[in-house]
Amino acid sequence: MTGQALGRVVATERRPNTPHQFHFWTAVTSPVGIGTIVRVDGEHPVDGQLPKIYGAVIEGFSYSDLVSPMHDVLGHDGEPSSAGFAPTERTEIRLYTAAVLRMIPEEPLQPVPMGSVFLADENDVAVALRMDSYLRDGASTGIPIGIYHAGGTDAPIYLDADFLVGPEAAHLNITGVSGLATKTSAVEWLLSSLFTHFPKEKGTIAAVAFNVKGPDLCYLDQPGRIEPADEAMYEKMRVPAKPFDNVRYYAAYDAGGYNLNTLRSNDALLHNVQPLTWGLREVLQYAEVLLNKDDVDAKADAVIDFIRDKIAGREFRDERLARRRYKVDSFAELDEWFRDVLAMLEEANSESYRTHHVATIRKVRNRLTNIALRCAGLVTAEGTVSDLPFGSFEDRGVYVVDVALLEEDAQDLIFTRIVSKLREHLERRNLGVDHVVVFVDELNKYAATEGPETYVRKMLLDIAERGRYLGLVLFGAQQFRSQVHRRVVGNSGTSLFGRMDADELAAPGYAVLSQAIKTKLSTLEKGQLMVRHPHFTQPVFIRFPRPAVMQGREGVELFPQAAEVSLDAAVTRSLRVLDPSISLEWVKQQIALREDDEVIQARNATVLAHPRDVKAFFASRMRPLAPVRAEAPKQRPVSIKLPVGDDPYGF
Amino acid sequence: MALPQPGPDAASRAALRFIQRILPGVDAVEAGPLSDPAFPRTDPPQLSAAPTLDGSRMRAETVQGEPEARFAAFLDGTQSVRIVARHGGVPIVLGIVAAGVRARVDRRLIAWTGSAPRVERRLYLPFAYAPALSFEGDATFGVVDTTDAALGELPSRHPAALLESAIKSVRRDRERLESALAEAWCAACDEPICIDGGIASNPRVASSALAVGVVKTHNTIHADGPDLELVLGLAQGERTTPFRIESGGRAQVTSWYLRLRDNRGHDATWGLVRIEACATVTTAEEVDRISRWVLAEGAPLALPDGRWDKMSYGVRNSEEFLRAIA
């Protein structure tokens, strides 16, 4: 091995070395710091082999030959400024404690011997972190996560795809304080890296990202500004510094039903933004998500099951009801059915309908129809469905679901349904890709340790515990890891830590970290992370490049959110994406005499269908207007002139 | 600070093994190092007036100018004496002597690369009283006959006298190492070196303008009568007029007393050093200049060494260094 020794292993009776930890000193000017990876070359062979020990520095000490600080005070007459004039600097030691990463040979496991300490070079880092086992030529499953830097060493750090995406282990959790643009940036960068380096033999992969706040994920297809240092990192890790090629956005409408409820509503970016709208069937499958447990007792549950099984989306006949035959595909139609049932019961002076008590029916009606109001914009009364392309997901595609501006109920519903659908399709192996990374920020909120049991949390726990067998991988982020459910973070094979809050670091979960590591964690810069991965026996500090995508703040300035517009303008905006020749005047003419609901339905159907002749299709989706009858010309009234005579007031 | 040593150290054990190979019946002695390596004192306290260079009465002078750090290196030696075994009533003494130069580079002290620090481990044996002990040393342990006629009068058979003669031999060996290193510095370098102790034992060193000896012990005070009062009454930053020291077998040097620290609340010799320089140093300017160099070494303090009032940090650093390698 090359390089000059930068330290010597030392051990005393009071501070001995062990198989898992050793101490060494260095020159005051050495580039060693907390997190630095070093190599110890043993001097006496074990089983004929000179041992090599790799370690990561976890603690550092510095002291001089002073016995008491008072001696220094006396030496400088109590004047700190005079210390600089002393002709000699006191002898000072830099003593470090390192945790063993790996020993070669690995058996017999012995305490770390005395020896020279060297700064680990790139090869050493690969060996120390056991990356050599998955970076083999032709069979590499390494996914670059960042660059480890110490002294003159810049070594790429790789995660093992088998332990990041499955099947050995899976999931990634990232934690750190807000506002440093680290968590989201790290995930954006890691997705780029994953898409670039995910081994072909492991199949295809896509990502579904939930944008839960601000414009963070709204510009993944737009190029961002990166510095030369970032470019160098991209080059070293062989990841192209460019935005994602294949991104599709999904956003619900606002309560009005015609403006997309997303910050990515600028006309220039609408080409890959699709509305996310669900009808009765989609919502009923996950109605429990939105219904309070206290509301949905067994009786109410039975009514909902009845509706789900017998009514929604099916032909339903009941001679006692006013219409007798029903085809309930929307909330509006469901409400008509409810009305007829309740009217029938009232008329018949009966208290139950098919064993369901009238009070329960009223309650369920109230709760279900309320969903359409609470999730207005997402849930369409007429039942139009515009959804993620389950079944035709594309390899290396990113599907961003923007829920940032939605109410909490709608967020929960979207979240639960999409992830459940992903799971269903992955189980059936018909999603379109073999693996899906689901990125969820704010796990504090969705999978909190405390608080009521929610469907979202149950579903996240399910992914965390069983997702890796399916290829469903959770990339979760949060500010306070200690407040996320233990089973979610515990099942996360890989953990990333950005700058941490001191209060958070005081949580019991961080007790395994040394005080120096905690100090470093609390002072990490933007772009720095601590990585824990199953192959790494100790945390590793890395630096990752700025993602090559436009950052939210910049995107908002360059592509400001479209103002809320009138119905005709909103329809024009939607249809123009499909047919640029469509003008506001044309739309105005088409919808002038229409009800808003009818126009929205036609717009939704058109957007969903992507027809070749957009104008014709849109027009055809509205009821034809009754022809205007030609009215006979009205006769002008003629005044009756009477003979005036001698009447002075006559005409 | 030296930690208490409960038993023989590694060097003592090695020495014992060495002796037991030659004399299987030798008795091991469980003893730590002698607490005061200067024991027994060879120089009883005495007054020995020396003539001033200009022939006038000794005067106290304030050192002119600000302290200036000019020493490029510090030289010191150490000795460690242990009784590791006895053969009959004859103590078998292990002496470890070391000397080294610490060069000051960018305000930091490092081992001088011009001549490596020297460490010698020897067994000091009175061949005359124990013929069985007259064996030869090896690469690890040399053997010194403390009853060699060349060393002077044959010591008494009394064990304490034998120990004393061994210690004298050890001290001689230390001085030899120091002297050799000082000579090497003066031959190779052109910047001044601060030597712990006197410089008169080596004529080449004593005649070099680069060598400055700082004597911390005052068993012999080179003043008497009113001059003695003047020496002991020097205030901080004051020196005496220079005087000449010329003793038998030693080179002639210029010397003067200098008070490094205010001794109020302490004894009369607290903070008092005697400086030795080559005999060509005669003028007040030259004496002041060297005094300024010595005064500049007042910080950092040599604490926790008990002699910190007189010892420069560089000398303490040399001692610590030698303790570590010896």
Side-chain angles (χ1 to χ4, degrees), chain A residues 65 67 86-91, chain B residues 69 104 107-108 301 304 313 317:
Chain A
D65 53 5
V67 171
T88 309
E89 288 181 2
R90 279 191 178 279
T91 304
Chain B
R104 182 154 58 192
R107 300 177 67 213
R108 289 190 187 149
L301 296 185
Y313 181 78
N317 182 275

Side-chain angles (χ1 to χ4, degrees), chain B residues 175-176 178-184 198-208 249-251 253:
Chain B
E175 286 173 355
R176 175 175 48 79
E178 289 176 346
S179 178
L181 279 177
E183 195 175 320
I199 61 172
S201 60
N202 183 324
R204 287 203 185 90
V205 176
S207 61
S208 170
R250 293 187 161 235
V253 291

